[in-house]
Amino acid sequence: MTDVQGASVDVTTADGTADAYLAHPADGEPHPGVLFYQDAYGPRPQLRSMADRLAAAGYTVLLPNVFYRHGGTPFGELPEFIDPSADPTIWRRIRPVMDSLTPEQSRRDADAYLGFLADNPFVADGPVAVTGYCMGARLALRTAATHPERVAAAAGFHGGRLVTDAPDSPHRGAGNVTAELYFGFADQDASMPAEQIRELEQALDAAGVRYTSEVYPGAQHGYTQADTPAYDRQADERHWSALLALLDRAFRTS
């Protein structure tokens, strides 16, 4: 583990400017890039600490605010410990913003995020990796499908709605994926029940995608997020082991 530098940065997109957090080893050298997609609560100290942990492992990490169209850091009034059961207004504020991010918008944004990483002096040449949490798992899968030449590995943790009836459901892009994928699902997660996990796996199998799909027993949706009641330390550490192993394979062989 190494010392880390983190800073706020702006990413110019086709639709405006996304505020973001960039973390990288403090040695000033270029390192493999990782695009980090947020959960529904958005960039905040918890996610920045996760980005720092990845950076300490030897990566340059970009954590963008994917809700930038609604303003910078849109949920700045979130409590330090986020418990929607104690404050139902949290989800009433977040849900419309989350639902407003369309697949086409997320594809345009991914172009900008990947372009930022490609141009950044702290990012090594070559492909990057993507990791995402909750809704970020959908963004990670979409990015791997729409940018196969740029994404060497992609991971999704406690992801939901990866399989829907929509024509543009994330799982329908499996045929375009060349990256190695990893999914760590929560078995206490109504947003991604067992039948949808099977359908995702069938789509990946049919497309010949290299992937690992695991269900973490006893884990709830959001198990990696220490600032919520869903946090599960054992599942979180399992996620870190799986993610770092995926990144090591991707950048050791890319």
Side-chain angles (χ1 to χ4, degrees), residues 114-205:
L114 294 175
F116 179 94
L117 288 170
D119 294 339
N120 191 275
F122 296 114
V123 179
D125 293 338
V128 303
V130 186
T131 187
Y133 300 82
C134 178
M135 61 167 284
R138 298 195 296 276
L139 299 177
L141 180 54
R142 288 192 191 281
T143 300
T146 55
H147 296 82
E149 77 290 350
R150 289 285 291 131
V151 179
F157 297 94
H158 47 84
R161 293 163 55 192
L162 292 168
V163 174
T164 71
D165 294 331
D168 58 1
S169 172
H171 80 292
R172 300 190 194 281
N176 297 322
V177 174
T178 59
E180 180 182 353
L181 305 182
Y182 179 90
F183 296 101
F185 296 108
D187 71 349
Q188 305 296 309
D189 190 350
S191 71
M192 196 66 188
E195 59 270 21
Q196 291 184 12
I197 294 174
R198 285 194 298 270
E199 190 170 345
L200 172 64
E201 292 170 348
Q202 289 167 359
L204 297 173
D205 286 336

Side-chain angles (χ1 to χ4, degrees):
M1 305 291 276
T2 62
D3 291 338
V4 168
Q5 289 183 341
S8 297
V9 296
D10 289 332
V11 180
T12 301
T13 76
D15 298 332
T17 301
D19 54 299
Y21 178 71
L22 184 73
H24 57 87
D27 58 9
E29 298 296 321
H31 294 270
V34 178
L35 174 56
F36 184 132
Y37 280 126
Q38 66 181 61
D39 64 358
Y41 298 132
R44 59 193 191 281
Q46 165 63 23
L47 293 193
R48 289 192 288 273
S49 71
M50 293 172 70
D52 287 346
R53 181 167 174 174
L54 271 178
Y59 302 100
T60 295
V61 185
L62 179 67
L63 168 64
N65 168 23
V66 304
F67 297 150
Y68 69 89
R69 292 174 181 84
H70 297 265
T73 315
F75 304 121
E77 295 181 4
L78 283 174
E80 184 175 341
F81 188 77
I82 305 168
D83 184 359
S85 66
D87 181 3
T89 67
I90 292 175
W91 262 112
R92 287 202 292 269
R93 287 185 286 125
I94 291 175
R95 189 77 196 201
V97 176
M98 183 176 67
D99 290 344
S100 72
L101 182 63
T102 69
E104 181 53 40
Q105 288 174 337
S106 67
R107 281 190 285 268
R108 292 199 300 271
D109 291 345
D111 290 341
Y113 304 148
L114 294 175
F116 179 94
L117 288 170
D119 294 339
N120 191 275
F122 296 114
V123 179
D125 293 338
V128 303
V130 186
T131 187
Y133 300 82
C134 178
M135 61 167 284
R138 298 195 296 276
L139 299 177
L141 180 54
R142 288 192 191 281
T143 300
T146 55
H147 296 82
E149 77 290 350
R150 289 285 291 131
V151 179
F157 297 94
H158 47 84
R161 293 163 55 192
L162 292 168
V163 174
T164 71
D165 294 331
D168 58 1
S169 172
H171 80 292
R172 300 190 194 281
N176 297 322
V177 174
T178 59
E180 180 182 353
L181 305 182
Y182 179 90
F183 296 101
F185 296 108
D187 71 349
Q188 305 296 309
D189 190 350
S191 71
M192 196 66 188
E195 59 270 21
Q196 291 184 12
I197 294 174
R198 285 194 298 270
E199 190 170 345
L200 172 64
E201 292 170 348
Q202 289 167 359
L204 297 173
D205 286 336
V209 176
R210 295 169 298 146
Y211 76 94
T212 301
S213 172
E214 298 182 315
V215 177
Y216 291 15
Q220 299 181 47
H221 182 79
Y223 60 78
T224 62
Q225 301 304 305
D227 58 354
T228 75
Y231 181 65
D232 183 316
R233 182 178 297 276
Q234 183 176 356
D236 183 35
E237 288 306 315
R238 180 177 176 180
H239 131 264
W240 280 111
S241 295
L243 176 58
L244 292 174
L246 175 71
L247 298 180
D248 183 63
R249 289 193 300 274
F251 295 117
R252 186 180 64 235
T253 61
S254 62

